[in-house]
Amino acid sequence: MKRKLASVSPWILAAACTLLAVIIGVFAVSNYSREKKLMTEALLQKGLAVIRFLDTGVRVSMRANWQDLGGSGYNWVNHVQSVIDQIHDQQDIHFVELLNAKGTVLAGTDRGRIGGLTEEDTRVFLTLGEGGDPVFRMVTESGHGHEGFQVALVFKPSIRGAMQRNNQRGRNMMDRMFNGQPGFERMQEEFSKLQDQQFALLVELDLEQFNSAVERQLWQIVILSVVLLLVGVGGWLSLLTLQGFKGTQSRLQRIRAFNDMLVESLPVGLIATDAVGNIQVVNAAAEKITGISAGKLLTRKPDSILPPELARSFNGLTREQGKPQSSESAFTSDLDGHTCSLLLTVLPVVDDAGLFTGDVLLIQDMSEIRALESQLRRNERLAALGKMAAGVAHELRNPLSSIKGLAVLLKGKVGEDREGKQTADILVEEVERLNRSICELLDYTRPEKLEKTRVPLHSILDKARTLVSVDAEALGIDISLSSDETKGFVLVDEDKMNQVFLNLLLNSIQAMHDGGKLSIHIKEEAGAVVCAIEDTGSGVSEENLSKVFDPYFTTKSDGTGLGLALSAKIVEEHGGSITLDNRESEGVQVAIRLPQAV
């Protein structure tokens, strides 16, 4: 969240805060003005109601006492004072006063002010209402020592009332009611005198209700402003949270994509189940090993779709014991019938709360590793055998030289004894044969001194084919040499490699007693030059395939068993490899892979 706040431009933040403040200010001012206007209108209507009540009360009082008008003389102001005395006890009315045009108080709630002049500001205020419309104002402190709301109305008194002044029907009604009554003429004379004068009624109301309403409105504005501020801050934080959520979601998607890519690219097969045992994750390596597509495996139970060798790994022991379980099993693929050795490791998956959420099965093909281990053990065995053979051969050569010398000396002493000479010749021949075997053994054990040159492999094979062509024709064997339109240059010791190919071709020819076909094909493959030699001979038994490159292993009655072993040694010293396999139909295929020369 802090990183998100830091990443947002301060100008954007300032603009958002300013906009929020403007909205809050406009809202507050609008609400305050509206409430103040409503309260002012309410006080004005209340003040006018008091004035109307006063006017109506005076007229009612006059009508109730119209018989006395002619006796004691009519005094309209006394009736006004009588009505003012009646409304004096109202708590929300500070005072009511009747003033003439000069500002003299004629009647009022405070009798001590009667006959005196009102304040200068009040006289100015009253002049505003000379047009006949009511005026109002708020005073912090009036002449009565109060803070209040004053309403004033300038008018001329009439016994008919405001609605009857311009109403002919009303005047006729008043005339019929009072015409001919004692004092009626006197009353009309008094009112005709009053018509030349202008009076004003001034009412001051208590502002406590107004102030309370305004105060409540101010508190409401403050509360609403705080709420709006909190809403704005909440909205801003929500926006940042949403941005953070989107960022987190994007990061999670990238992590998930990376994990999916990582799982798919693993060279180890992976099958994962959920807490209820349904398969949820399958990578490409697992599809290749099992021969079943991920679409068929997902959401299925392992024992319903996986081969038994794999399904039995999900046996629930990881949930019970809480630790990985490993086992190695031979597995035969249904696609090509290839049998491989699989290392199966089941890992329990638990969440942060320690609850079991599923199993993960890791499938590792151990065939190559086991083959390498077997090759390593074989190489160690052959190395020990070579060291021992080299020592024995070195120790045998001197006695053999002595035996050969004694045999030659014995042949010279037997004279004409043919049998003795034959025995001596046989002894010499056997010694020489044994010495050749010792030399071959020493050649196998000692490192070769290679004189490498850049040559096309095709030329070496063509030379070897020419050397064995006579023997092949004698046995009715057809030899063909082809290549994939490439020169196939290699950096090798030409004599040593010629020895290798000559040995391999002779072995193939000797395996085809009744004739056949010998095919040689050269191709480039991934930075290497591969030569494949195929014959149609009797092949090699399965139990002997792993022994053909061992020293002194041979199926020939006159073989030494060092030909293939020495050939493999020469190829390996060139940084290449040699393999021998039976063909699907008949015969043997030998593949020699050599690094391609740049």
Side-chain angles (χ1 to χ4, degrees):
M1 182 64 70
K2 291 181 178 179
R3 289 197 298 269
K4 285 293 181 183
L5 284 171
S7 64
V8 176
S9 172
W11 293 107
I12 296 178
L13 183 61
C17 293
T18 302
L19 180 61
L20 181 62
V22 170
I23 292 174
I24 293 175
V26 171
F27 177 79
V29 171
S30 175
N31 277 5
Y32 179 77
S33 300
R34 180 173 58 85
E35 186 66 21
K36 189 173 181 180
K37 182 178 180 181
L38 290 176
M39 289 304 301
T40 301
E41 184 67 23
L43 289 175
L44 175 61
Q45 295 300 324
K46 188 173 182 179
L48 292 176
V50 172
I51 292 175
R52 286 194 294 269
F53 173 79
L54 184 63
D55 183 32
T56 303
V58 170
R59 286 186 279 109
V60 170
S61 176
M62 290 172 58
R63 292 169 185 171
N65 300 284
W66 65 273
Q67 296 90 345
D68 298 333
L69 292 177
S72 60
Y74 178 75
N75 192 340
W76 176 76
V77 174
N78 291 338
H79 286 278
V80 173
Q81 183 64 49
S82 175
V83 176
I84 289 177
D85 292 338
Q86 294 178 18
I87 64 176
H88 177 64
D89 295 334
Q90 297 292 326
Q91 294 181 354
D92 54 346
I93 299 177
H94 286 167
F95 68 88
V96 179
E97 289 182 344
L98 175 67
L99 300 98
N100 60 15
K102 297 180 180 180
T104 302
V105 178
L106 302 179
T109 53
D110 185 1
R111 292 181 178 271
R113 289 172 55 85
I114 296 175
L117 285 176
T118 187
E119 294 78 10
E120 179 66 24
D121 61 331
T122 302
R123 292 197 298 271
V124 174
F125 169 64
L126 293 177
T127 59
L128 300 176
E130 291 179 352
D133 295 326
V135 294
F136 60 90
R137 68 172 181 172
M138 292 184 185
V139 292
T140 56
E141 185 174 357
S142 63
H144 296 263
H146 298 290
E147 176 187 12
F149 183 88
Q150 294 182 352
V151 180
L153 180 64
V154 176
F155 72 102
K156 294 181 179 180
S158 172
I159 194 171
R160 297 181 180 87
M163 294 185 60
Q164 296 173 337
R165 292 171 186 167
N166 299 317
N167 191 319
Q168 184 62 39
R169 182 179 179 183
R171 288 196 296 268
N172 294 334
M173 184 180 297
M174 290 295 297
D175 291 341
R176 287 195 298 270
M177 289 176 59
F178 295 100
N179 192 19
Q181 299 294 333
F184 181 70
E185 293 79 3
R186 177 63 179 167
M187 181 181 67
Q188 288 182 330
E189 292 177 2
E190 289 293 328
F191 266 96
S192 61
K193 293 179 181 180
L194 291 174
Q195 293 300 312
D196 297 332
Q197 303 181 35
Q198 184 171 278
F199 299 92
L201 280 175
L202 178 63
V203 178
E204 183 176 290
L205 303 176
D206 189 4
L207 277 179
E208 181 179 357
Q209 182 180 2
F210 176 82
N211 292 334
S212 298
V214 172
E215 184 178 355
R216 286 195 305 272
Q217 184 61 31
L218 288 176
W219 275 110
Q220 290 178 2
I221 291 173
V222 171
I223 293 173
L224 290 176
S225 300
V226 172
V227 170
L228 284 177
L229 181 62
L230 291 177
V231 169
V233 172
W236 181 259
L237 294 178
S238 299
L239 178 61
L240 295 180
T241 304
L242 180 60
Q243 291 178 346
F245 173 75
K246 290 183 177 179
T248 302
Q249 193 175 34
S250 177
R251 288 193 296 272
L252 286 176
Q253 290 176 349
R254 290 196 297 269
I255 293 173
R256 180 176 296 176
F258 174 77
N259 290 339
D260 292 343
M261 180 185 66
L262 183 63
V263 169
E264 282 297 316
S265 60
L266 283 176
V268 178
L270 184 146
I271 301 176
T273 63
D274 55 18
V276 296
N278 294 324
I279 297 175
Q280 297 296 329
V281 179
V282 179
N283 69 349
E287 290 182 275
K288 182 178 179 180
I289 293 173
T290 61
I292 306 173
S293 65
K296 295 180 180 179
L297 291 172
L298 293 176
T299 70
R300 299 286 299 276
K301 296 289 185 182
D303 54 2
S304 67
I305 188 66
L306 289 177
E309 297 89 345
L310 304 180
R312 67 171 62 101
S313 299
F314 296 95
N315 50 21
L317 292 179
T318 56
R319 179 183 298 193
E320 297 175 2
Q321 300 179 6
K323 59 182 181 180
Q325 303 290 329
S326 297
S327 62
E328 191 164 346
S329 174
F331 175 73
T332 302
S333 175
D334 294 335
L335 296 178
D336 54 8
H338 175 68
T339 300
C340 56
S341 179
L342 299 181
L343 177 62
L344 307 176
T345 304
V346 184
L347 306 172
V349 181
V350 296
D351 58 14
D352 295 337
L355 299 177
F356 176 82
T357 59
D359 284 319
V360 174
L361 174 62
L362 300 179
I363 310 170
Q364 185 176 3
D365 189 351
M366 303 295 291
S367 300
E368 293 185 3
I369 296 176
R370 296 293 178 256
L372 291 174
E373 291 176 351
S374 177
Q375 183 68 26
L376 179 61
R377 289 193 296 268
R378 176 178 174 275
N379 291 340
E380 290 175 350
R381 185 174 67 253
L382 293 178
L385 179 60
K387 290 180 181 179
M388 181 187 69
V392 171
H394 185 269
E395 293 298 327
L396 288 178
R397 294 186 75 176
N398 291 334
L400 286 177
S401 298
S402 300
I403 293 172
K404 182 179 180 181
L406 291 174
V408 173
L409 181 62
L410 180 62
K411 181 180 179 181
K413 289 184 178 181
V414 296
E416 298 298 329
D417 186 0
R418 291 183 59 189
E419 185 177 352
K421 287 183 178 182
Q422 289 178 355
T423 302
D425 288 339
I426 293 173
L427 182 59
V428 172
E429 290 176 0
E430 292 299 319
V431 169
E432 289 179 351
R433 189 173 68 85
L434 184 58
N435 189 54
R436 284 195 302 271
S437 297
I438 292 173
C439 290
E440 290 179 355
L441 180 60
L442 291 175
D443 288 339
Y444 177 75
T445 56
R446 72 166 62 98
E448 296 286 348
K449 294 181 180 180
L450 304 177
E451 297 180 1
K452 296 182 179 181
T453 57
R454 186 175 182 272
V455 294
L457 188 59
H458 188 277
S459 64
I460 300 175
L461 283 163
D462 188 54
K463 182 179 180 181
R465 181 185 63 170
T466 303
L467 292 175
V468 300
S469 59
V470 176
D471 294 336
E473 289 177 2
L475 294 173
I477 298 172
D478 179 32
I479 302 177
S480 63
L481 174 61
S482 63
S483 61
D484 291 345
E485 298 181 355
T486 176
K487 295 180 179 180
F489 281 94
V490 291
L491 191 63
V492 296
D493 187 320
E494 190 171 354
D495 291 336
K496 296 295 183 182
M497 291 307 301
N498 186 63
Q499 179 184 348
V500 170
F501 288 117
L502 186 61
N503 187 23
L504 294 175
L505 294 178
L506 287 174
N507 283 345
S508 295
I509 290 173
Q510 292 170 5
M512 294 183 286
H513 306 289
D514 301 325
K517 185 176 181 180
L518 181 59
S519 303
I520 306 170
H521 184 71
I522 303 172
K523 63 179 179 179
E524 290 183 2
E525 184 180 285
V529 180
V530 180
C531 173
I533 301 173
E534 298 180 354
D535 62 51
T536 57
S538 56
V540 181
S541 62
E542 291 295 330
E543 62 269 16
N544 291 334
L545 274 177
S546 61
K547 305 175 184 178
V548 292
F549 295 112
D550 292 348
Y552 300 107
F553 175 80
T554 181
T555 57
K556 303 174 184 177
S557 58
D558 56 347
T560 61
L562 287 174
L564 286 178
L566 187 58
S567 298
K569 178 175 176 293
I570 294 172
V571 172
E572 290 173 358
E573 288 179 346
H574 281 83
S577 63
I578 181 171
T579 58
L580 186 147
D581 290 298
N582 286 321
R583 297 175 63 191
E584 293 183 2
S585 56
E586 58 179 354
V588 168
Q589 181 190 63
V590 182
I592 301 94
R593 178 185 292 268
L594 294 170
Q596 185 177 12
V598 180

